[in-house]
Amino acid sequence: MKVTDVRIRKVSDEGKMKAVVSITFDNEFVVHDIKIIDGQNGLFIAMPSRKMGEGDFRDIAHPLDSETRNKIREAIFEEYEKALNEMAKETE
């Protein structure tokens, strides 16, 4: 399974949520609403989730192994860096 497209849909400088991302696999399957979060140990991705009961969240879609999660994270962060660079150029 290959990541064939990453779209940074929303970038924010405020708050902990830095971006909302959609990612496509093999030009056939899309996962929307992956979030880039600025946590205590730096940036990480949060898969789309749904609130279950009293404050608990459950992922709607997620990778089953760390190798796949790493591929997804690397593809997302690469596009995120490009988006940040584009924004920086626009403000110069």
Side-chain angles (χ1 to χ4, degrees):
M1 179 172 64
K2 289 180 93 176
V3 174
T4 52
D5 190 31
V6 177
R7 299 200 184 214
I8 307 296
R9 294 193 342 243
K10 177 183 172 187
V11 178
S12 174
D13 287 336
E14 299 176 18
K16 292 187 178 283
M17 187 177 73
K18 298 302 177 188
V20 178
V21 180
S22 293
I23 190 164
T24 304
F25 299 96
D26 297 328
N27 290 319
E28 296 178 345
F29 187 81
V30 177
V31 178
H32 296 291
D33 297 332
I34 298 171
K35 294 172 182 70
I36 298 176
I37 307 290
D38 189 7
Q40 291 179 342
N41 298 320
L43 296 176
F44 67 94
I45 59 170
M47 299 305 288
S49 60
R50 175 176 290 147
K51 190 171 183 178
M52 309 293 287
E54 298 178 22
D56 294 333
F57 287 86
R58 176 178 237 161
D59 285 350
I60 295 169
H62 59 88
L64 296 177
D65 58 48
S66 60
E67 180 182 341
T68 304
R69 179 174 284 277
N70 289 336
K71 280 196 276 189
I72 292 169
R73 187 181 71 238
E74 289 170 9
I76 288 172
F77 284 164
E78 183 177 321
E79 286 301 314
Y80 179 63
E81 288 297 321
K82 288 179 188 176
L84 289 178
N85 289 335
E86 289 289 320
M87 286 178 56
K89 287 179 185 177
E90 290 174 4
T91 60
E92 290 181 352

